[in-house]
Amino acid sequence: MANAASGMAVDDDCKRRFLELKAKRTHRFIIYKIDEKKKMVVVEQVGEPVLNYDDFAASLPANECRYAIFDYDFVTEENCQKSKIFFIAWSPDTARVRSKMIYASSKERFKRELDGIQVELQATDSAEVGLDVIQGRAN
């Protein structure tokens, strides 16, 4: 099932890991990368539930594009425990132009495979995906 625009397929493990995060909360985050040789989106890293936002942010490569899912837990003003699932399209300014184009053209197709995303962020540097941004978008 390749995407006509980018030719990227989505590995079944991508969806399986996302469902584990969404339903069982067995992961705090998932980092996905495009394997250009296989022309497929694959799971690069899975963060354990005990990890926090700093661990997630440190997992994003400085010079390469990635897709990421982050399960953000927070407490509302009414003192209710909630969580939101963030989809982050990480495309740093320092990444190769070709890589940015491939990730941009594959993003919508990939997102459709992951049912349950609540908030989407596009980030080109660490400030655009800082914890303050996540907190602001969660409410």
Side-chain angles (χ1 to χ4, degrees):
M1 290 196 19
N3 178 358
S6 67
M8 291 299 152
V10 177
D11 186 52
D12 289 338
D13 194 41
C14 294
K15 292 180 271 193
R16 186 175 61 79
R17 296 292 186 145
F18 178 76
L19 289 171
E20 289 171 355
L21 178 144
K22 186 174 94 170
K24 300 177 190 164
R25 302 181 61 90
T26 52
H27 315 303
R28 172 66 55 209
F29 62 85
I30 308 167
I31 309 283
Y32 300 98
K33 76 180 221 175
I34 291 178
D35 184 327
E36 290 188 42
K37 288 183 179 71
K38 294 181 182 174
K39 293 197 179 316
M40 181 178 284
V41 180
V42 297
V43 173
E44 179 180 53
Q45 182 181 352
V46 176
E48 298 301 314
V50 295
L51 296 178
N52 63 25
Y53 183 80
D54 292 335
D55 299 313
F56 164 71
S59 299
L60 294 172
N63 302 316
E64 295 178 38
C65 299
R66 293 292 186 270
Y67 300 127
I69 296 291
F70 183 73
D71 186 9
Y72 177 62
D73 293 327
F74 62 101
V75 177
T76 66
E77 289 178 9
E78 296 80 32
N79 208 25
C80 294
Q81 185 70 35
K82 291 203 166 189
S83 94
K84 289 249 169 110
I85 297 175
F86 280 76
F87 175 85
I88 298 160
W90 174 247
S91 185
D93 290 330
T94 53
R96 294 185 349 258
V97 171
R98 173 178 159 72
S99 178
K100 289 188 217 181
M101 290 173 56
I102 291 171
Y103 274 81
S105 65
S106 303
K107 181 178 85 168
E108 289 306 317
R109 157 87 167 72
F110 179 61
K111 266 182 32 195
R112 281 196 302 270
E113 299 287 334
L114 308 178
D115 185 35
I117 293 168
Q118 296 163 305
V119 183
E120 179 183 344
L121 289 178
Q122 177 78 37
T124 58
D125 65 43
S126 56
E128 293 179 357
V129 72
L131 185 55
D132 56 330
V133 175
I134 299 286
Q135 290 168 333
R137 293 290 302 273
N139 293 324

